[in-house]
Every structure is written in structure tokens, then in C-alpha cells.
Amino acid sequence: MVLKPTRREAVALLAAAAFCPRVAAAAGVRGLDAIARAKGMRFGSAVSANPRTGSFDNPAYAALLRADCGLLVAENEMKWQHVAPAPGRLNFAAFDRMLDWSDRNGMAMRGHNLVWQRRKWMPAWLEAHDFGGRPATEAARILTGHVEGVTRRYGTRVQSYDVVNEAVTPDTGALEETALSQAMGGTEATIDLAFRTARAAAPHAELVYNDYMSWEPGNAKHRAGVLRLLEGFRRRDVPVDALGLQSHLVTSGPDGSQGLLASQEEWRRFLDAVTAMGYRLLITELDVRDNGLPVEAGARDRGVADYARAYLDVTLSYPRLRDVVAWGMTDRFSWIEDFEPRPDKAPRRPCPYDDQFRAKPLRDAIAAALAAAPERAA
Ligand code: 9MR
């Protein structure tokens, strides 16, 4: 479905057109993906299938994607809740359409996610399911059916999956339980089976464990829990290729970077430990929550950009990281506004483009960080 743009969107479309690659190249501005490719990396964004949000059905948004992205991820449309809204009812229409669009536009599409290890985000029917007299067998049947169903449907068109999302409890570092994992007799058994099934059904695909342990102070237990999980994968020979760093960054203090020096050290130690185990890295959901920064948009945007630049400089210095994916391109559609509005009610400014689709300092910071990153070997 292609909707006629509203007046506001038409204005935004014109602004976005300024970022069409040819015009941009003539102006000496290159798309973020082009800058990334020159270093052996890729840049991309989350996209949705709802034309009232960050969808390619919205022409202004599609223009941004075409200008800057070589890689997309469905913000919601591959989630288990979405593709299996009721027992025995499958709904792949939205993701099919997204994959067709990304194929037509020469962009890769990541798969997000096969198992979201949180009760709230599993299908409600599965949380309420009666697993019967042999619960582990029934749980394994449902899990393998889902993982095989999705990965076989898309075959080699999807080359990278967040197989398991957010299995570690941030406050304790322990593993999350769901009805499925309880029926299976444990979270590790559940996660391991998800990865093994994905490897067998999609041997071509990069298999990722994705989580939001971040570099800010207060994340130490979360990071430790993720490290334990990754160590366990290696011990049990579970086929996991990479750690997805969601990178929902949060500024703090009036200049945005309170407590940052100490956390930079800890972040490096964390990434050193992850890569020493042989894992690759990806930035899967980059955006910035502008906490503590002044309300004035210019100062706020600079604070956000500086903070992201510092994060990207450290994180992109690891050559095992090749993909950087933003969790949406414009402030207009960001999830953060609903999730945690600013106390002063000023609309959040978490994305590379503002709500009128104009590039912000965050876009420049991403471009500069990609340009400054060490070149990856072919
Ligand atoms: O941005 C997504 C939002 O639209 C959904 O309502 C929500 C629940 O499905 O998920 C959000 O995306 C999350 C992602 O899937 C996993 N990491 C955290 C993201 C932000 O909450």
C-alpha cells in the first residue's frame, strides 16, 4: 500500500531528497552505508511495515533508507508474537513484504528475533499453553517448529538472525524464564536448542545472541551475565557466531557524559572478553536517550552526537564488528518517546534525523566515526 503523503510529509520528502545518494555525492556528502562499505562495514536501520511509522510505505522514510542504508531489520514484524498471533495461525505477510522491498532496493535484511526470552514478549498463547504430560518434548516440538518454520521460509534471503534476544536479567545477571523454558526444564536448554536448530535449518546464516547490556554505569551485572552465557555456549559447543550490542545509549548529566571515563574502561574489558572467545560483534539497535541534557535542541543534539561518537570510537575500534544498525532513522517514529518521555516533556531526539527528516549532528557523528574506524580486512 502506498499512501499519499500528507503536506507535512511532502515537506519532509523534499528535505530527504537532499540526501538521495547522487545529490548527496555531488554535495560531497555520502550515504552512511557508502562510508561504512569503504571500511569493510555496513550501515542500516530498523524499518516497519506500518505506513504511519518508520515504513518504506512512507516516501520520506523510504528516501532516508535508500540514502543511508545497505542493511535493514524489521522493528517488529518477525517477532514470534507477530508471526504466530494464535496457536496454528501464521502471519508472515508483513515480513514478506518488507523482504521484497529490501531485495528490490538491494539491501540486506536481518532477522529479529526468533526467541525473545521474556514472558512479556513471547506469544501470550504460548505463555498460557498446556504442555501436557511430557512438557520437555512438547516445548522442544514448538520451539524447533518455530525456528525451522521461519528460517526455512526465508532461506538464504536472510543471512543473519538474532536467534535469542535478551535472555539475561539486567539487575542480577541471572537467566530469564518463560513458560517454554520452564517446560523445557531450563533456559540454557531452550536457548541451546534454538541455536542448534537455527544452524541446522539455516547453515548459511550468522547466528547472533542480542542483548542491551551497555557501557553506562549500572550495567556491570548485566554484562557479567552475558559473559557467563557466552562462555557457556563455548563450553557446550552451541553454534553462536556473534554478540549483538543493541546500543540503546543513555546520556547523563548536563554534558551527557557523566561517569563515562570509568565505563569506557569496563566496556573495553567486556568487548575484549567477548572477542577473545571468538565472537564477532554487531551494533544492532543504535539510538540515544537524551537524559540530563538541556532542553534546547541544539545543545541536546550536540550532547547526543558527542556521546554516540565516543561510544562508536571505542566500539568500532574492534575489527570484528562490521555492521552498525540504527533503531530507526528519524525522531518522528522512535519507540523511546512512548517508552520513557523526558520529564520536561520536550520530544526526544534519539535518531540521526529529526522529526522533519533533517539530518542532525548524530548523523554526522556516525559518519565521522565510520570514516575514522580502522579498515576491516576483506
Ligand atoms: O521498537 C520496538 C517497539 O516498537 C515494540 O513495541 C517493542 C515490543 O515488541 O519492541 C521494540 O524493539 C525492541 C527490540 O525488539 C529489542 N530490543 C529493545 C527494543 C526497544 O524496546
Side-chain angles (χ1 to χ4, degrees):
M1 172 174 38
V2 177
L3 294 185
K4 200 168 171 300
T6 61
R7 225 180 118 91
R8 199 160 167 234
E9 281 166 353
V11 172
L13 178 58
L14 283 177
F19 276 90
C20 105
R22 249 184 304 155
V23 177
V29 182
R30 292 165 71 217
L32 294 177
D33 187 56
I35 300 171
R37 299 260 172 184
K39 294 299 173 87
M41 290 186 279
R42 297 185 295 183
F43 179 84
S45 170
V47 59
S48 116
N50 174 351
R52 290 284 167 229
T53 61
S55 162
F56 49 80
D57 290 325
N58 176 329
Y61 198 74
L64 288 189
L65 298 177
R66 287 200 187 93
D68 271 337
C69 298
L71 175 65
L72 299 177
V73 64
E75 185 169 359
N76 291 306
E77 291 77 356
M78 190 190 261
K79 291 171 182 172
W80 199 339
Q81 271 187 339
H82 191 101
V83 299
R89 214 179 97 210
L90 295 178
N91 172 25
F92 287 107
F95 190 78
D96 286 355
R97 219 163 59 77
M98 298 171 93
L99 191 52
D100 288 345
W101 191 85
S102 68
D103 277 354
R104 273 203 309 283
N105 286 276
M107 300 176 195
M109 174 70 95
R110 302 200 60 242
H112 171 84
N113 54 62
L114 297 177
V115 179
W116 193 339
Q117 187 57 23
R118 295 286 168 102
R119 289 185 190 279
K120 185 177 176 195
W121 302 121
M122 288 294 265
W125 62 264
L126 188 50
E127 278 302 302
H129 186 67
D130 176 2
F131 288 87
R134 298 177 61 204
T137 310
E138 170 69 349
R141 182 189 70 77
I142 293 175
L143 177 62
T144 52
H146 171 64
V147 172
E148 286 173 356
V150 176
T151 53
R152 291 205 177 130
R153 180 180 183 88
Y154 296 114
T156 53
R157 295 174 77 195
V158 175
Q159 294 280 342
S160 176
Y161 283 97
D162 293 334
V163 177
V164 175
N165 192 46
E166 301 174 9
V168 175
T169 311
D171 295 346
T172 62
L175 293 178
E176 292 277 325
E177 287 282 3
T178 63
L180 185 79
S181 66
Q182 279 172 328
M184 280 280 293
T187 301
E188 283 182 356
T190 312
I191 298 178
D192 292 3
L193 182 62
F195 278 105
R196 292 198 167 111
T197 307
R199 176 58 30 102
H204 60 276
E206 170 184 65
L207 305 184
V208 179
Y209 172 73
N210 189 47
D211 209 335
Y212 59 88
M213 66 289 123
S214 194
W215 75 338
E216 284 90 11
N219 279 267
K221 290 209 167 116
H222 199 173
R223 286 192 299 264
V226 169
L227 280 184
R228 275 196 300 278
L229 184 65
L230 296 180
E231 282 156 13
F233 289 149
R234 289 298 185 242
R235 254 198 327 273
R236 301 190 300 276
D237 206 17
V238 182
V240 182
D241 302 311
L243 173 65
L245 313 167
Q246 290 188 4
S247 311
H248 294 294
L249 307 179
V250 189
T251 61
S252 57
D255 76 343
S257 61
Q258 206 160 282
L260 202 63
L261 227 59
S263 50
Q264 283 192 6
E265 292 280 300
E266 286 184 36
W267 187 239
R268 276 187 202 281
R269 273 202 294 279
F270 174 71
L271 297 181
D272 286 346
V274 173
T275 50
M277 286 187 264
Y279 291 103
R280 297 198 288 268
L281 302 168
L282 301 81
I283 292 179
T284 51
E285 307 182 13
L286 178 67
D287 55 22
V288 187
R289 216 171 305 163
D290 49 18
N291 287 4
L293 289 171
V295 64
E296 195 263 310
R300 207 149 31 111
D301 288 351
R302 272 194 305 284
V304 162
D306 291 349
Y307 189 77
R309 177 72 201 266
Y311 175 78
L312 291 171
D313 281 348
V314 176
T315 310
L316 299 188
S317 74
Y318 288 78
R320 290 189 145 252
L321 189 152
R322 286 176 181 252
D323 288 335
V324 178
V325 179
W327 206 240
M329 295 299 280
T330 98
D331 297 339
R332 173 98 66 101
F333 306 124
S334 170
W335 68 289
I336 291 175
E337 192 59 45
D338 288 339
F339 175 76
E340 189 193 319
R342 272 175 67 98
D344 61 15
K345 304 278 180 284
R348 291 280 190 184
R349 302 180 66 84
C351 297
Y353 290 81
D354 72 8
D355 64 355
Q356 298 299 306
F357 295 63
R358 292 174 301 220
K360 295 189 340 205
L362 177 57
R363 185 192 179 277
D364 300 337
I366 297 170
L370 290 167
E375 200 170 324
R376 274 60 175 156

